[in-house]
């Protein structure tokens, strides 16, 4: 008996709804969708920063070895770009600041975005060049 009374109350409530639930969904759904897309964009930015950092570190690792040059570092950074695919948009590698004793690589790119944000990623890595010295 109590179950029938509960079912009647629910039906009566639905009849009195007059579209309130539809209006609530109309307001809440876009906000929830935007929140989800912002979380996905945050993850994309984090992953893009990690990929740019990896490319810069790989470039330094390739360029600082004995007998290597900045071209070897750029080649290793390009290999990272190919490996990570579309994680970075328009990646560029700069060797500005490098000299005979120290290599500096700066990776600049844009993070992909679902919302249309234009987020630039700039990561830098540096290290000493290996060389022979007399004891």
């Amino acid at each position: 008996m109590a179950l029938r009374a509960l079912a009647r109350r629910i039906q009566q409530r639905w009849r009195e709804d007059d579209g309130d639930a539809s209006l609530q969904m109309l307001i809440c759904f876009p906000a929830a969708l935007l929140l989800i897309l912002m979380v996905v964009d945050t993850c994309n930015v984090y992953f893009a920063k990690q990929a740019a950092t990896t490319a810069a570190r790989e470039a330094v690792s390739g360029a600082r070895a004995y007998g290597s040059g900045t071209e070897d570092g750029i080649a290793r950074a390009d290999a990272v770009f190919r490996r990570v695919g579309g994680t970075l948009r328009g990646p560029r590698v700069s060797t500005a600041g490098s000299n005979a004793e120290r290599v500096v690589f700066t990776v600049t790119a844009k993070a992909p975005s679902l919302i249309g944000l234009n987020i630039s990623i700039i990561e830098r890595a540096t290290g000493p060049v290996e060389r022979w010295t007399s004891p």
Side-chain angles (χ1 to χ4, degrees):
M1 196 64 161
L3 211 57
R4 273 194 181 156
L6 179 63
R8 253 183 293 184
R9 287 174 83 192
I10 290 173
Q11 285 177 351
Q12 187 178 24
R13 188 100 193 241
W14 281 348
R15 280 188 220 124
E16 296 171 0
D17 187 19
D18 292 335
D20 287 345
S22 298
L23 187 58
Q24 290 169 357
M25 284 302 295
L26 181 68
I27 294 169
C28 294
F29 185 71
L33 187 63
L34 181 63
L35 181 65
I36 290 170
L37 291 177
M38 287 174 62
V39 168
V40 171
D41 268 1
T42 302
C43 293
N44 281 343
V45 169
Y46 175 77
F47 192 53
K49 284 183 72 65
Q50 294 300 313
T53 301
T54 300
R57 288 181 180 170
E58 284 290 318
V60 167
S61 180
R64 67 184 295 257
Y66 183 74
S68 297
T70 55
E71 309 82 31
D72 299 314
I74 292 173
R76 283 186 68 170
D78 288 339
V80 171
F81 296 148
R82 283 191 302 276
R83 210 170 42 218
V84 297
T87 304
L88 298 169
R89 292 185 319 174
R92 293 186 314 257
V93 181
S94 170
T95 59
S98 296
N99 56 34
E101 295 177 4
R102 195 153 199 79
V103 290
V104 178
F105 284 91
T106 305
V107 174
T108 307
K110 301 244 183 244
S113 175
L114 295 175
I115 305 175
L117 301 175
N118 192 16
I119 300 173
S120 295
I121 305 290
I122 301 171
E123 294 295 321
R124 184 177 177 173
T126 182
V129 174
E130 294 178 358
R131 56 190 160 86
W132 288 102
T133 58
S134 56

